[in-house]
C-alpha cells in the first residue's frame, strides 16, 4: 500500500461491500488512485494492513492514515474467516 | 439532511476534524453536495442525526445511509459535551 494510493480494505462480505459501494460513489475517482483489497482473495495482505494499524474492516487507508468504517469485523475475525488464524 | 446531499457529522473536536480533512481530500467535491455539521455549533441537529441511525461521530450520511468512521465519540457523549444531555 503505497502513499500515493487510497486502499479500501474489506473482507468482501455483504456488510463491507455496501459500505464500499457508498464510498466509491463519493470518491473523486479521477484524482484518487483507489485500490480495493478483499482479504478473502488477498490473504497475504492482512499482515501489511495490520502493520498500518488496521483493526477492523471495512477500512479506508490513505497516506498511512486509517479510517475504520462501520466496524464490520475485527481483523482477527477476518483471519479466521479466510483461514489464516 | 436531504437525500441529495452528503453530510459529514462530527462534534468538531480534533479527532473528528482529522478524519474530516482526510475524507474531504478524497471526496468528489464537484459532484457531491457536502454539508459539514459540527454539533458543538448545531446542537439542534443531534435529534435529526439520531433519527437517521447515527450512533457515533464522525459519521458520513448519504441518502439516509450512515457510515460511522473511526468511532470518535458516542452520540450520548456528544450530547453531554454540548450540554443537551
Amino acid at each position: 500500500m503505497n502513499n500515493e494510493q487510497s486502499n479500501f480494505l474489506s473482507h468482501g462480505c455483504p456488510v463491507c461491500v455496501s459500505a464500499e459501494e457508498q464510498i466509491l460513489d463519493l470518491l473523486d475517482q479521477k484524482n484518487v488512485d483507489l485500490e480495493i483489497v478483499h482479504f478473502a482473495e488477498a490473504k497475504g495482505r492482512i499482515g501489511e494492513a495490520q502493520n498500518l494499524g488496521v483493526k477492523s474492516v471495512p477500512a479506508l487507508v490513505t497516506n498511512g492514515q486509517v479510517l475504520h468504517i462501520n466496524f464490520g469485523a475485527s481483523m482477527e475475525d477476518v483471519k479466521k474467516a479466510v483461514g489464516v488464524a
Side-chain angles (χ1 to χ4, degrees), chain A:
Chain A
M1 292 173 216
N2 67 56
N3 264 349
E4 292 322 309
Q5 208 176 36
S6 278
N7 306 83
F8 185 89
L9 312 178
S10 87
H11 166 256
C13 69
V15 169
C16 291
V17 169
S18 101
E20 182 179 311
E21 281 158 9
Q22 193 176 340
I23 286 270
L24 291 188
D25 276 351
L26 297 173
L27 287 190
D28 181 355
Q29 303 213 20
K30 280 186 227 89
N31 295 309
V32 173
D33 173 11
L34 181 70
E35 180 194 25
I36 294 173
V37 178
H38 285 173
F39 291 125
E41 294 128 26
K43 298 174 188 177
R45 304 194 65 187
I46 289 175
E48 183 186 352
Q50 287 190 295
N51 290 339
L52 282 169
V54 175
K55 297 189 174 41
S56 64
V57 290
L60 185 61
V61 179
T62 307
N63 299 330
Q65 273 196 309
V66 180
L67 289 178
H68 293 98
I69 297 168
N70 271 3
F71 195 91
S74 71
M75 288 306 282
E76 292 315 311
D77 290 342
V78 170
K79 286 161 85 170
K80 283 179 203 139
V82 304
V84 296

